[in-house]
């Protein structure tokens, strides 16, 4: 957690629409109960998917969450997008607390927050043509008449590099990269403010990944978008994001400007992720070994620092006391880490 809690605006003011962060996430928590089969099955455990996550995303920036598979980043995205209800915490979008928004206004908010999913094939309706898929949010949100909807569909199809002559084809008639272009076109068609991209590259061939990444960067400028980019791939995150949060077992363990994170990572988990990147590790002195061992189960996170069973720097203190996410010393403004020994000058036991 930061040194002080986020400054939560209790009252909505019109200025808040254009001032302040576009998205503010405060202490968001989402756990899932596991039950025995049957209507009244006993609770057998709790998956602590997301715990006490706070951050802000500013207009026009790309903010990324990075972490290994199962760290809770996709649950976080779906809780922010109101696909899952939060157990605790608040999400503010453009100055409005989502919990206070009426059902009618929530529809308008959903138009302004669009998602791009990991699996473009699974997220596209196989019985709809590419044109119908791209136009669907325009129809749902009653944006323009049929002529205007067709015009916007062609416009965004061209913007994402699709051949408009192919728009009457079905998803299975496109390649994986083209399907992701359709998914991106659908996301930007209703002119959203925030695009949540949940592992948008991981189902694509390596050769296609950089094309999609470059496309997203170009569209950000053209469509005036803010991105919340979720990925396990630190190299991709480095290419697109201005700020990065590193997630481990449902919690943010480090957050900083991308440049600061790569130059001066303070959490051993972040250091290990960076050291494992081939283009950084190759030919240069590695700062730490790649994370050893498996991620512990979110059903039973370790006591103390959740990273301690895998941490090469773990001390006795780490096994009993969980470090808070706090400002790190002698670092750039906004650099936070959850490690008892994030200060390089603090002697270890
Ligand atoms: Fe490693 Fe201890 Fe820091 Fe956790 S608190 S990351 S175990 S040094």
């Amino acid at each position: 957690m930061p040194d002080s809690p986020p400054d939560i605006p209790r009252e909505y003011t019109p200025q808040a629409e254009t001032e302040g962060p576009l998205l503010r996430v405060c202490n968001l928590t989402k756990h899932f109960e596991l039950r025995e089969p049957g209507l009244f099955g006993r609770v057998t455990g709790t998956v602590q998917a997301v715990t006490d996550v706070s951050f802000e995303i500013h207009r026009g920036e790309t903010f990324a969450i990075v972490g290994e598979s199962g760290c809770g980043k996709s649950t976080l995205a779906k809780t922010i997008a109101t696909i899952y209800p939060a157990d605790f915490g608040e999400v503010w979008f453009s100055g409005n607390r989502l919990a206070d928004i009426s059902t009618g206004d929530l529809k308008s908010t959903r138009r302004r927050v669009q998602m791009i999913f990991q699996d473009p094939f699974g997220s596209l309706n196989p019985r709809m043509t590419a044109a119908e898929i791209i136009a669907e949010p325009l129809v749902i949100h009653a944006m323009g008449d049929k002529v205007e909807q067709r015009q916007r569909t062609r416009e965004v199809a061209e913007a994402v590099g699709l051949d408009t002559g192919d728009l009457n084809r079905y998803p299975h008639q496109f390649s994986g990269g083209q399907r992701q272009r359709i998914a991106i076109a659908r996301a930007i068609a209703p002119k959203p403010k925030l695009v949540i991209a949940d592992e948008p590259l991981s189902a694509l061939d390596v050769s296609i990944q950089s094309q999609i990444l470059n496309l997203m960067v170009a569209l950000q400028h053209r469509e005036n978008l803010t991105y919340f980019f979720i990925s396990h791939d630190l190299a991709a995150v480095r290419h697109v994001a201005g700020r990065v949060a590193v997630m481990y077992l449902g919690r943010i363990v480090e957050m900083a400007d991308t440049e600061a994170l790569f130059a001066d990572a303070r959490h051993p988990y972040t250091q290990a992720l960076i050291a494992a990147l081939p283009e950084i590790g190759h030919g240069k002195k590695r700062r730490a070994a790649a994370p050893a061992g498996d991620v512990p189960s979110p059903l039973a996170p370790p006591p103390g620092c959740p990273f301690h069973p895998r941490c090469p720097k773990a001390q006795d203190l780490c096994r009993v006391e969980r470090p808070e996410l706090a400002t790190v010393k002698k670092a750039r403004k906004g650099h936070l880490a959850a490690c008892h020994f994030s200060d390089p000058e603090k002697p270890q036991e």
Side-chain angles (χ1 to χ4, degrees), residues 267-268 305 307-308 311 313-315 318 323 339-341:
H267 195 286
C305 173
F307 189 57
H308 87 253
C311 183
K313 300 178 181 172
Q315 309 289 317
C318 309
C339 173
H340 292 305
F341 304 104

Side-chain angles (χ1 to χ4, degrees), residues 19-158:
E19 294 173 3
L22 181 63
L23 186 82
R24 177 174 286 169
V25 175
C26 308
N27 311 112
L28 202 66
T29 298
K30 180 67 193 170
H31 294 173
F32 297 96
E33 286 184 343
L34 295 184
R35 289 180 176 273
E36 287 175 340
L39 197 54
F40 301 106
R42 189 170 62 88
V43 175
T44 56
T46 302
V47 177
Q48 299 178 30
V50 173
T51 305
D52 204 14
V53 166
S54 299
F55 61 87
E56 294 177 345
I57 303 182
H58 302 278
R59 290 159 210 275
E61 79 164 337
T62 297
F63 177 80
I65 290 266
V66 71
E68 290 166 287
S69 174
C71 71
K73 50 193 190 305
S74 287
T75 301
L76 173 64
K78 286 176 179 152
T79 309
I80 291 169
T82 67
I83 295 171
Y84 296 147
D87 294 338
F88 184 77
E90 296 179 344
V91 178
W92 293 72
F93 179 74
S94 201
N96 295 289
R97 185 165 43 188
L98 291 193
D100 296 339
I101 297 176
S102 65
T103 311
D105 288 344
L106 198 56
K107 192 176 172 191
S108 156
T109 301
R110 287 207 172 110
R111 175 189 71 74
R112 294 185 290 156
V113 181
Q114 293 290 316
M115 280 194 81
I116 301 168
F117 294 96
Q118 177 175 354
D119 175 11
F121 200 50
S123 68
L124 303 180
N125 187 332
R127 284 184 284 277
M128 291 170 75
T129 64
E132 290 168 338
I133 290 169
I134 296 169
E136 192 181 26
L138 303 175
V139 175
I140 289 171
H141 297 289
M143 294 179 71
D145 58 26
K146 284 207 169 349
V147 174
E148 288 165 330
Q149 287 172 0
R150 269 200 294 274
Q151 209 172 354
R152 177 67 178 160
T153 299
R154 288 180 71 85
E155 185 183 303
V156 292
E158 278 169 9

Side-chain angles (χ1 to χ4, degrees), residues 297-325:
S297 168
L299 270 166
C305 173
F307 189 57
H308 87 253
R310 304 171 75 192
C311 183
K313 300 178 181 172
Q315 309 289 317
D316 289 344
L317 174 66
C318 309
R319 290 179 252 283
V320 291
E321 191 177 308
R322 185 173 56 76
E324 296 293 329
L325 185 64

Side-chain angles (χ1 to χ4, degrees), residues 144-339:
D145 58 26
K146 284 207 169 349
V147 174
E148 288 165 330
Q149 287 172 0
R150 269 200 294 274
Q151 209 172 354
R152 177 67 178 160
T153 299
R154 288 180 71 85
E155 185 183 303
V156 292
E158 278 169 9
V160 301
L162 287 168
D163 185 339
T164 51
D166 291 340
L167 291 182
N168 284 328
R169 292 162 66 189
Y170 291 87
H172 72 273
Q173 296 173 295
F174 290 92
S175 68
Q178 286 172 320
R179 283 197 288 264
Q180 196 57 303
R181 287 175 193 269
I182 295 170
I184 293 170
R186 177 180 59 183
I188 65 169
K191 303 189 174 177
K193 292 289 174 211
L194 176 69
V195 173
I196 301 176
D198 185 5
E199 295 274 14
L201 310 174
S202 60
L204 303 176
D205 286 350
V206 176
S207 59
I208 307 295
Q209 288 181 0
S210 59
Q211 292 176 20
I212 296 295
L213 213 50
N214 290 335
L215 171 65
M216 289 182 67
V217 173
L219 288 172
Q220 181 169 32
H221 298 294
R222 183 197 145 109
E223 299 283 328
N224 197 19
L225 299 169
T226 301
Y227 283 139
F228 179 26
F229 190 87
I230 296 153
S231 179
H232 67 281
D233 183 351
L234 205 50
V237 162
R238 187 184 202 188
H239 186 69
V240 295
R243 285 189 306 128
V244 184
V246 179
M247 225 172 147
Y248 187 77
L249 272 184
R251 293 175 184 271
I252 290 178
V253 296
E254 186 155 17
M255 181 155 54
D257 288 354
T258 307
E259 207 181 302
L261 191 89
F262 278 84
D264 188 24
R266 298 292 184 90
H267 195 286
Y269 178 59
T270 313
Q271 291 169 352
L273 292 178
I274 291 172
L277 285 174
E279 71 268 33
I280 290 178
H282 182 71
K284 290 190 179 178
K285 192 177 174 219
R286 290 179 175 233
R287 279 171 283 187
D294 295 326
V295 182
S297 168
L299 270 166
C305 173
F307 189 57
H308 87 253
R310 304 171 75 192
C311 183
K313 300 178 181 172
Q315 309 289 317
D316 289 344
L317 174 66
C318 309
R319 290 179 252 283
V320 291
E321 191 177 308
R322 185 173 56 76
E324 296 293 329
L325 185 64
T327 301
V328 295
K329 295 200 172 68
K330 299 190 181 97
R332 252 191 232 178
K333 191 166 176 272
H335 192 155
L336 309 171
C339 173

